[in-house]
Each structure stands twice: as C-alpha cells, then as structure tokens.
Amino acid sequence: MSECPIFAYPIRIIPFDLGRSLSANDLTLIEKRFQPRFGKLEFTPRQSSILKGISLLFNIQENISAYLYSNGICVIVVKETKLSFQNNFENFSISYGENRKNAHRAFFEWKHSASPVIWDVITELRRIVRKNTPIKITLRKSASEQFEHRGLSYIMTLSMFDVSRTIINSTRFKNYPHWLKSNVYALLDPSVLYLEDSSKFECAAGSRLDLPTILSELEMNEAPTDYERHRHINTFMSWASVSILGQLQDVDKEEYTALEVQLQSDWFYVYCLDKSLDDFSTLTKKDIIDIQRQHYELDLLENRLFDFDDSSMPTRILDIQKGLVETSGLAGNIQHLQRKMQYILERERLDSELRQKHLSQSTEILLFVIAFIEIAPTVIKYGNNIYPNAGVAASFFIILFGIILLIRKN
C-alpha cells in the first residue's frame, strides 16, 4: 500500500480530585486565575448534551484540555501525537500497546512531556480550593499529594484508529481479516501480549517473547460487541480499553472524548468518596449529615447515567453510554458504595441507640438513688420505732428490690 493503512490517535484521560464540591466563589477565583493564562472554552452543542455537572473548560495547550466539574473532579485530556503503522500494520496492536504502556508509566512517574504543565495546573487548582476552604470542612484525602502517585490514580486511554477503506469499508467484526481480529482482541486485553499497565504482575520474560507469533495465534471465543450504529466506524470496549476503528471524523473524536471524560469524572468521583469513607473511625453529627448527602448524590448520579440534556439524543449515544457504564463497572461501584454508606449509617444509628440506652440506665439509677435518699430517713425512723433495726432492714430490702427491678428492666 502506498498510503499508510492505519493511523492511531491516542487520547489520555486523567482525572484528579480537588478535594470537595466547588462553590460559585471557587469557580470565580479559578476563572479569574486561569482565563488570562489559557482562555476559557465554550462548550459545543454536543458537549453540552453529554457533559453533566461540568463548570469550566480550559485549553491548557493545543493538545491538553482541563474539564472542571462542580463536584471537585478535574479531568485532564491529552491528545497524543498521531501514530502511523506503515510497515507493521498487521501487528499494529504490539507497537500501539508498547506506546500505551510506556506513556502510562511516564505519566505515573511524572516524566511525560505533558507532566510539568499538568502538575502546575493541578497544584494551582488545589491551592485555590484549599485556601478558600473553611476550617470546619475537611478535604477528601484523594486531593493530597500523598495519595496514589501524587493524586494521579490511573490513566484511561481512548484508542481511536483511522483505518483504510481497503481494510474496513462499512463492515462488521465478523468480516474483518483474521489479523485485524487478533489485533482488536489484543487492544481489548493488553495482557495477552504482556503489555498490561501493572508493574507488579509484569512478566519478566515479556521482552524476549515472540509477540508477533503470539498475536497471530490469538483466537477469540466469541466476537466482541460493537456498540456503534454508524457504519463508518466500529466501537469495541472492555475494562482495559475503548477502541474505535474505521474512517474517523472530527465529530467522532469530539463525541467519544466527551463521553469518556464524563464517564471518568463520575467513576473517579465515586472512587474518591469510597476512599474517604475509610477515614471515618468515629463519626460526628456533621460527618453523618455529609454521608447522608453523598448517599443522595449517588442516587442522583445513578439515575442520570443514561439521562442526557437532549430529548432528541440519538439512540446510538445511549448504546455507547451503556457500553461504557457496563465495561467500566461504574453502576456496580455506585451500588457498592451505597451499601457501604448504608452500613455506616446503620452502625451509627445502633451505636446511638446504645448510647441512649446507657444514658437512660444512668438516669434511672440516679433517680432511684435520689428517691432513696429522700425516703431513707423516714423509713429508718418509723421502722426502728416498730422494731429495733427494722428500718435498716427495710432500707436494705428497698435497695435490693430496686436493683433487681433495674436489672430485669434492662
């Protein structure tokens, strides 16, 4: 082929936490600080329909954008340099996987070319939020530099491939050539080529393996689901990857980037709330109110996962959103966190009832002691007049009888 048959457009999506929900004053300060430096972007009609709860959008550099959400999540989007696969296009998933793995490692180590400017932006955002935070409000621990790679928990790469019509021309996965099917499988599960992100489970012999042979021998038990209804592209998803292949258009990049940014902002927000709950050894009244509020927010989040601010939203967008939610496990994470919050609130309710019970017991004992002190002289006086030491004996039996009643009652 004279022209390159496959180009890749890797888009790195990296969420950060600023520590708390942003107030109108926070947003004013942030906009005042960043707009002269970067310039605020206006949302396109597509972005406005897809992005929910977003407050500001800045273009940090030509290839780096920052999406700032009202819940305190900032999603950084880095559009990497286009990759071409001219000579090794039948094994393109190997080169692409290696590029992805190396890029993720560079981000985690803060050595990527985009790392300095990202760090400056996130540090400044956190500084503004922290400075504008009342003393009584505690920031989420995920906004700390000590949290998971200085606040960088993970990188999600949106993989978009412009594939020549000679390879894919309005066709579905079952009609792909065998080599392309194997590459799609490797994209969805990088571990089959020993290219997963985790360094803890990395194969020591991975660099000495014959990856092209392994790739050519890959067989899928069943065809992956294509979540796209448009004929010019196909979309496949897994926990590790969202891969789009076909004749890409600019609108495709815009739609999928917006959908993935929204998903990662929701996913990471749930993750940060979950991690924050681990810090509650004892709960104050304010903590209980905060957890109840967050539980309500999770209900709203769960209800709006498939709710877009556009009554004429195409059904294909809903199909893609369902695929993103399903493969990311977001719905399951929300339900898990709701159960965790319910357990904490129920535990606190039971503890409160026990404290009330102990207080009630103490009050009853105090009242009994006061009552006995008041009647004891009279009982002793009249009892002793009737019979020697009868008053003392009567007082003893009153005490014993009162103790028995308190024990049996509680």
Side-chain angles (χ1 to χ4, degrees), residues 216-273:
S216 65
E217 294 174 351
L218 289 179
E219 294 286 348
M220 299 191 71
N221 295 327
E222 57 183 34
T225 301
D226 181 4
Y227 293 92
E228 180 59 76
R229 295 194 180 193
H230 280 168
R231 301 299 298 176
H232 67 285
I233 55 174
N234 304 136
T235 300
F236 309 103
M237 303 181 192
S238 68
W239 166 257
S241 174
V242 175
S243 300
I244 301 97
L245 298 89
Q247 290 77 59
L248 293 177
Q249 301 174 6
D250 289 341
V251 69
D252 298 323
K253 298 175 185 177
E254 179 185 356
E255 285 180 352
Y256 276 95
T257 299
L259 286 165
E260 192 64 51
V261 165
Q262 183 62 48
L263 179 84
Q264 296 308 323
S265 72
D266 292 337
W267 199 99
F268 192 58
Y269 178 61
V270 173
Y271 180 77
C272 293
L273 291 183

Side-chain angles (χ1 to χ4, degrees), residues 283 288 343-352 355:
L283 294 177
I288 296 173
Y343 165 75
I344 292 175
L345 293 173
E346 181 66 16
R347 184 190 65 189
E348 181 60 25
R349 185 185 67 81
L350 293 174
D351 289 344
S352 178
R355 288 194 295 269

Side-chain angles (χ1 to χ4, degrees), residues 10-24:
I11 301 175
R12 319 292 181 197
I13 299 175
I14 315 171
F16 292 90
D17 186 21
L18 304 184
R20 61 170 173 81
S21 296
L22 303 181
S23 65

Side-chain angles (χ1 to χ4, degrees), residues 101-119:
K101 184 178 179 69
N102 292 334
H104 285 199
R105 180 185 291 115
F107 274 115
F108 281 129
E109 296 175 355
W110 291 94
K111 295 179 180 179
H112 192 276
S113 59
S115 293
V117 67
I118 292 175
W119 179 248

Side-chain angles (χ1 to χ4, degrees), residues 188-204:
L188 296 177
D189 186 4
S191 64
V192 298
L193 295 180
Y194 306 93
L195 294 174
E196 62 270 31
D197 283 338
S198 176
S199 58
K200 296 179 181 179
F201 297 93
E202 189 172 8
C203 177

